[in-house]
Amino acid sequence: MITPADDPAALRLAAGRIRTGGLVAFPTETVYGLGCDALNAHAADRIFLVKQRPSFDPLIVHIDDRTMLSSVVATLPVGADQLIAAFWPGPLTLVLPKHPQVPDNVTAGLPTVAVRMPAHPTARALIRLSGCPIAAPSANPFGYVSPTTAQHVREGLGDQVDLVLDGGPCPIGVESTILSLVGAYPEILRPGSVSLEDLRHVLGPAVRPAGARPLSPMPGTGTRHYATRTPVTILSRLGERPSVRSTRRVGLLALSAIDVLDDRFAVVEVLSPSGNVQDIARRLFAALRWMDTQHLDHVYVEPCEQVGLGVAIMDRLRRCTAGPHPGEGDRAGAAR
Ligand code: AMP
Ligand code: MG
């Protein structure tokens, strides 16, 4: 069932479901999450089952205040307080030492827990009314493009979710930045809209960018992920146009307005006419999903500049194109 997120009765119903071990999909400022009581191991098991998420891929725990933070975290490492003051509520997830009461399946057996205080009013209201921290990965089948609307959630998970709170499209559109504070250096595990520059501004130059070490084996940070069924190729520069065989149905995802409409492309989608990076991030996943419904043989996407939010956009696009592709039959014929 999809219900409007601004309906107080729907929010109370959703909180009741969370308290009794149910699953509720809800909007955050990044993407839609599939949430359950983070201290209920059985409910967390259901999330892994519904998403078909491997048990070694830990969940992010969402909190509403400092009291909840102390219920999931054992200690706060150096730097945590400054980061919390600067970026919470907001799209920054911190990896911290885990409190023993957080079930092991939530953290995939790790001694650490990923925690975030979201800024979205619906997410906050749901956590507050539920009275417990909420474990929530993105509300989509494992490995597919994350949902940024309630409709995306329904398309991916159908009626396996007890309730979907519809708060409209997510304002940021890519998942949170994940920063580990448990190693020798603060290290970005996944880039997001809180950038390396933002983090260094608070913690200094010690912060390591994502990928500074060999890729971790963790899904969402290391392997093919966020993937469409249609093969995607990132063009080498803005404005590059691949040569396309006339027998192929090919789509172009352009970052900004394009000069000439090219009839080699069956579908052209412009993410932001003015090339605004926030708009590109906000619309990226919906555009990839839409392209995936257009029966295309291949999608080409323009690259964006790798600074600030552009790092996160390119990270998601690379994961979308990485590794062997299930629907790749015709890829050898894709002229570039
Ligand atoms: P999502 O699928 O967007 O909810 O993101 C969850 C991701 O957060 C996982 O795939 C991991 O990459 C990361 N993560 C969660 N918990 C931890 C942890 N304890 N240590 C390191 N990374 C974590
Ligand atoms: Mg995910």
Side-chain angles (χ1 to χ4, degrees):
M1 184 172 55
I2 298 187
T3 60
D6 55 8
D7 173 2
L11 265 175
R12 280 196 300 276
L13 181 66
R17 291 283 160 86
I18 295 278
R19 276 196 300 274
T20 52
L23 307 189
V24 173
F26 61 98
T28 77
E29 66 273 32
T30 58
V31 301
Y32 272 71
L34 178 62
C36 76
D37 176 354
L39 303 181
N40 180 335
H42 295 294
D45 269 342
R46 264 191 77 203
I47 284 196
F48 284 95
L49 195 71
V50 164
K51 273 187 63 92
Q52 298 187 1
R53 183 178 176 106
S55 58
F56 57 79
D57 190 4
L59 308 179
I60 294 175
V61 173
H62 297 71
I63 56 160
D64 180 50
D65 57 21
R66 293 290 289 233
T67 312
M68 265 188 202
L69 178 64
S70 2
S71 74
V72 295
V73 162
T75 54
L76 282 185
V78 176
D81 275 318
Q82 290 105 295
L83 291 166
I84 288 169
F87 299 111
W88 281 7
L92 176 67
T93 296
L94 298 176
V95 173
L96 300 165
K98 164 187 164 322
H99 192 289
Q101 75 167 333
V102 178
D104 284 337
N105 59 349
V106 168
T107 63
L110 293 169
T112 55
V113 61
V115 189
R116 164 165 117 83
M117 186 188 288
H120 196 291
T122 301
R124 292 297 288 286
L126 181 64
I127 304 167
R128 200 166 42 248
L129 286 172
S130 303
C132 59
I134 293 186
S138 53
N140 57 293
F142 180 72
Y144 195 63
V145 181
S146 295
T148 52
T149 67
Q151 191 54 36
H152 293 162
V153 177
R154 189 165 48 202
E155 284 160 14
L157 299 177
D159 56 9
Q160 299 182 88
V161 183
D162 294 320
L163 201 68
V164 181
L165 292 171
D166 185 352
C170 300
I172 294 177
V174 293
E175 301 84 350
S176 61
T177 304
I178 302 179
L179 182 76
S180 168
L181 287 182
V182 295
Y185 300 89
E187 181 182 12
I188 297 178
L189 302 181
R190 176 175 74 187
S193 67
V194 175
S195 67
L196 175 66
E197 298 76 33
D198 296 334
L199 293 167
R200 284 188 170 163
H201 192 71
V202 173
L203 288 189
V207 182
R208 295 200 171 181
R213 285 186 301 162
L215 280 180
S216 112
M218 214 121 27
T221 65
T223 55
R224 181 182 166 76
H225 213 74
Y226 312 109
T228 50
R229 287 173 288 273
T230 317
V232 175
T233 296
I234 307 172
L235 294 165
S236 55
R237 58 181 167 76
L238 272 180
E240 184 199 342
R241 296 295 172 260
S243 50
V244 175
R245 283 211 317 260
S246 57
T247 50
R248 291 170 56 78
R249 243 179 95 72
V250 171
L252 174 69
L253 203 54
L255 296 192
S256 52
I258 48 180
D259 290 342
V260 190
L261 252 190
D262 190 328
D263 63 9
R264 286 173 304 177
F265 298 107
V267 179
V268 176
E269 178 77 358
V270 174
L271 285 173
S272 164
S274 63
N276 176 288
V277 74
Q278 270 89 21
D279 293 342
I280 293 169
R282 182 162 55 239
R283 299 200 45 222
L284 180 67
F285 287 163
L288 282 169
R289 283 169 168 266
W290 184 73
M291 284 279 182
D292 219 10
T293 64
Q294 298 301 300
H295 309 287
L296 299 168
D297 296 309
H298 212 98
V299 171
Y300 289 91
V301 50
E302 290 185 327
C304 71
E305 207 192 334
Q306 294 216 57
V307 286
L309 185 52
V311 178
I313 293 169
M314 286 303 287
D315 170 78
R316 303 311 187 270
L317 285 176
R318 269 194 228 99
R319 288 183 206 296
C320 188
T321 60
H325 198 288
E328 196 134 37
D330 199 10
R331 196 176 191 179
R336 292 202 56 187

